[in-house]
Amino acid sequence: MNKLPLLPIYTLALLFSLASCNDAALDIVPKDQLTDATLWQDAKNAGLFLNDIYDALNPGPVSSVWTALPSEISNDPLDNFSDNSVSGNLAGIPSYEAFTQGAYSPSIPIFNNHWSNMYANIRKCNILIDKVGTSDFAEEDKQSLIAQARFLRAYYYKWLIDLYGGVPIITKPLDRSVDGDGIFMARNTYEECVAFIQQECDAAAADLPLTVTGADVGRATKGAAWALKSELELYAGKWEDAAATSRKIMESGAGYGLFPDYGTLFYEENENNEEVIFDVQYAAEVKGVITERYWNPTVVSDGGGWQAVNPTQDLVDDYEFLDGRTEAEGSALFDPAHPYENRDKRFYASIIYDGAEWKDGVIYTRLGIPNNRNELGAVGATRTGYYLRKKVNPAIVPGTSSGQNSIVWRYAEVLLNYAEAQNEALAAPDQSVYDAVNQIRERAGLPDLPEGLSKAQMRERIRRERRIELAFEGKRLFDLWRWRVADQAFSKPLRAMKITGTDGSLHYEKVNVDGGKVVFDPSKNYLMPIPETVRARNEKIDQNPNY
């Protein structure tokens, strides 16, 4: 399996600024390390610098949780900051101790190092673009290196504006000794940032390859730049732009398509399949992940997990039955005595429910089974009656290093982006909207959407489809924010499933999650606060409203 170099390329003490020695006898070039003098002498060395920027790619922001990992490979993923899931019974979890209780602020930020991390990466991109741009490298090498750096810079900027809104746009390496107080800049508007990232994605896509193979797998492509731009435009409500950009991917000829098996498309053995447009690359024991430890149920046949992601009943209720209706919509297939039968295939691929087979055993969350450490409310067990299955590979022993990549954008998301944007751009949905959504529903074993939906009806169906298809991929929080429905979603406690009785007569009761009422202030909580440490360094940075 070909991977990008994943280990840090440099030791921090030797990298980007090396003091010169006045003694000419000591003014020699080290042969065992890269110096600033040698780094930009050829494209190969510059490529090592670029690899270091790739190595910093983050599938999600790093929160203040003690594992200090990007959210989507951590024990507190972004869906825990939504109505899709809650954290397990673990101490020191930001989604529970800060987000749910509304206890985050400029002095107590959830993503405390995110701002500085992203700008450190942006600075590296600016250095490469500046140095390579003035080099005498072959034109083909210059174009490739700069295009990749511009894509990565856009990636890091998007992660800033998703959380904070407008941020300072910095496109050159700044140096306090040269620029003085000029290094301190005010925030650009959100709209200016969106326009800048759009331009960067277009410029990068022009010089990026359509596809990559071999050792280049994992590097940016045209599709990756377009996928970033598509999501950016969707989040910004630029409907016509988002539809057009998504259509570029759909019509690109790059070979994108839906992987046949939704459940296993995330596993290491299927990584870089036809559905993946861009992912963050990992390799077991080199730069691995241990999400199987974080996300597995409390007790499983080959060990135990931290049950860090507990899907809510609210999410479960949105999974349709095979007739295309939910329980609330009066599905004829809903059986209150067997509520988990005849569901959307994605339900079984995403949720571990009471009685579900998992690994070499069966997981029970019902009450009343002696010594069952997986039951609802037990110490260190689920708070909702459910455990996470999606992206958790049953073949991996919890705690073992895995090389499973973290998918950032995949083709199903592009179809949903297109469907939503096209529906919003038109007076009523056209056939292309139906076609995009129905491709995804077909893989899930569901019937096509009913014909004749109004724009508003289609909007609600797309939003539900997006919630289900992209569950536990770090998208839900931003959807709730951009749709301005988070206050509605959090207006009542999140729900759990309490099961009592015996196999012959089980009773299913929907109850409130213990600690499941999210405190959400719509006057400010649609953005995160700028950490006060940022504003202490730069007084030109205005705080987000009402923090």
Side-chain angles (χ1 to χ4, degrees):
M1 182 177 307
N2 291 307
K3 297 273 189 176
L4 287 171
L6 291 165
L7 287 173
I9 304 299
Y10 312 105
T11 56
L12 294 178
L14 297 171
L15 266 185
F16 308 119
S17 60
L18 294 169
S20 62
C21 181
N22 290 330
D23 189 338
L26 298 179
D27 192 12
I28 60 175
V29 178
K31 293 181 170 59
D32 62 344
Q33 59 198 324
L34 286 171
T35 69
D36 195 61
T38 60
L39 183 58
W40 308 109
Q41 285 184 349
D42 60 54
K44 182 179 179 180
N45 284 353
L48 296 177
F49 189 95
L50 178 64
N51 286 355
D52 192 50
I53 305 174
Y54 272 106
D55 190 60
L57 277 170
N58 55 301
V62 177
S63 75
S64 54
V65 71
W66 72 86
T67 49
L69 292 167
S71 62
E72 301 318 288
I73 58 168
S74 82
N75 56 329
D76 201 20
L78 281 179
D79 274 45
N80 284 356
F81 297 82
S82 77
D83 54 351
N84 276 358
S85 60
V86 298
S87 68
N89 285 307
L90 297 171
I93 297 298
S95 65
Y96 177 68
E97 296 188 354
F99 183 80
T100 299
Q101 300 176 46
Y104 52 103
S105 67
S107 60
I108 313 174
I110 292 174
F111 304 106
N112 49 342
N113 293 321
H114 183 65
W115 182 287
S116 58
N117 289 346
M118 295 303 95
Y119 272 109
N121 296 331
I122 288 166
R123 175 174 169 75
K124 290 181 182 180
C125 294
N126 289 342
I127 290 172
L128 185 143
I129 292 167
D130 177 67
K131 294 289 189 178
V132 172
T134 57
S135 74
D136 58 0
F137 299 168
E139 192 61 30
E140 181 180 2
D141 291 335
K142 291 174 68 170
Q143 287 182 348
S144 176
L145 289 165
I146 290 174
Q148 291 179 76
R150 294 183 80 167
F151 164 80
L152 292 167
R153 184 170 65 180
Y155 180 94
Y156 294 126
Y157 266 117
K158 183 177 179 299
W159 264 118
L160 283 167
I161 70 170
D162 283 349
L163 286 179
Y164 303 117
V167 299
I169 298 174
I170 303 171
T171 58
K172 65 177 184 179
L174 300 176
D175 186 333
R176 181 69 180 271
S177 65
V178 175
D179 301 303
D181 288 344
I183 67 172
F184 301 117
M185 299 183 181
R187 296 170 67 179
N188 289 83
T189 66
Y190 176 75
E191 292 74 18
E192 288 170 339
C193 291
V194 169
F196 169 73
I197 298 171
Q198 283 181 297
Q199 293 166 7
E200 290 297 288
C201 289
D202 285 338
D207 290 329
L208 289 171
L210 184 61
T211 60
V212 291
T213 58
D216 287 330
V217 169
R219 294 187 183 274
T221 61
K222 292 182 186 298
W226 291 332
L228 191 163
K229 187 168 181 270
S230 166
E231 186 176 80
L232 169 83
E233 292 164 343
L234 190 80
Y235 285 11
K238 300 176 77 68
W239 306 123
E240 292 182 0
D241 288 349
T245 302
S246 301
R247 194 182 301 114
K248 279 187 178 181
I249 300 171
M250 296 159 65
E251 299 173 353
S252 67
Y256 299 124
L258 297 180
F259 186 74
D261 186 354
Y262 177 86
T264 63
L265 80 86
F266 304 93
Y267 293 175
E268 186 173 5
E269 57 264 33
N270 294 322
E271 63 190 14
N272 305 314
N273 62 64
E274 66 266 31
E275 187 159 346
V276 178
I277 297 175
F278 188 72
D279 58 5
V280 179
Q281 303 272 304
Y282 293 96
E285 308 301 339
V286 178
K287 183 181 178 182
V289 296
I290 55 170
T291 49
E292 275 70 25
R293 168 68 77 195
Y294 302 149
W295 300 344
N296 255 296
T298 309
V299 177
V300 293
S301 59
D302 56 354
W306 293 3
Q307 37 76 41
V309 182
N310 301 168
T312 62
Q313 186 63 45
D314 309 71
L315 172 64
V316 169
D317 285 344
D318 262 357
Y319 283 93
E320 298 174 16
F321 292 86
L322 294 178
D323 60 1
R325 296 175 179 269
T326 63
E327 174 190 348
E329 292 168 339
S331 170
L333 297 178
F334 170 66
D335 179 353
H338 303 94
Y340 304 130
E341 293 182 356
N342 300 309
R343 291 281 186 128
D344 178 334
K345 290 180 182 179
R346 293 170 295 188
F347 172 75
Y348 303 107
S350 302
I351 310 292
I352 296 176
Y353 53 92
D354 180 80
E357 294 183 359
W358 181 242
K359 292 182 176 280
D360 292 327
V362 177
I363 301 297
Y364 293 105
T365 63
R366 68 188 68 168
L367 305 184
I369 298 177
N371 303 314
N372 177 22
R373 292 175 57 198
N374 289 323
E375 77 172 21
L376 172 69
V379 176
T382 177
R383 295 165 54 206
T384 64
Y386 302 101
Y387 294 100
L388 178 64
R389 181 167 189 157
K390 183 175 176 179
K391 301 196 291 185
V392 184
N393 191 334
I396 297 176
V397 176
T400 302
S401 177
S402 163
Q404 181 171 300
N405 295 344
S406 185
I407 298 174
V408 179
W409 299 295
R410 56 189 178 90
Y411 189 64
E413 182 180 356
V414 170
L415 292 174
L416 290 168
N417 290 357
Y418 174 78
E420 180 179 350
Q422 182 74 349
N423 183 62
E424 296 296 340
L426 300 175
D430 63 10
Q431 188 59 43
S432 71
V433 175
Y434 284 91
D435 291 344
V437 177
N438 287 339
Q439 285 184 61
I440 296 170
R441 292 176 63 81
E442 180 180 1
R443 178 172 64 179
L446 296 175
D448 287 350
L449 291 174
E451 296 291 335
L453 295 176
S454 68
K455 179 174 183 172
Q457 290 171 329
M458 179 61 83
R459 177 186 298 128
E460 293 309 308
R461 295 304 294 259
I462 291 171
R463 289 183 177 185
R464 185 164 77 194
E465 203 70 45
R466 186 175 177 90
R467 182 183 196 182
I468 296 303
E469 177 68 23
L470 302 179
F472 313 115
E473 296 182 45
K475 311 290 183 176
R476 179 65 175 173
L477 171 65
F478 301 115
D479 284 347
L480 293 176
W481 279 3
R482 67 188 178 88
W483 294 332
R484 288 297 189 267
V485 297
D487 50 333
Q488 175 186 330
F490 296 138
S491 64
K492 56 188 184 300
L494 300 176
R495 304 284 275 171
M497 178 62 82
K498 178 182 177 182
I499 307 172
T500 54
T502 61
D503 265 333
S505 180
L506 292 175
H507 175 67
Y508 296 84
E509 179 186 3
K510 297 176 184 179
V511 298
N512 292 342
V513 173
D514 182 24
K517 180 64 177 75
V518 178
V519 176
F520 187 88
D521 182 349
S523 74
K524 63 180 180 180
N525 292 152
Y526 278 110
L527 288 172
M528 285 289 166
I530 308 295
E532 66 177 15
T533 53
V534 172
R535 300 186 67 232
R537 292 192 300 267
N538 182 0
E539 63 182 16
K540 293 182 180 180
I541 299 292
D542 293 330
Q543 184 56 266
N544 279 328
N546 299 317
Y547 278 109

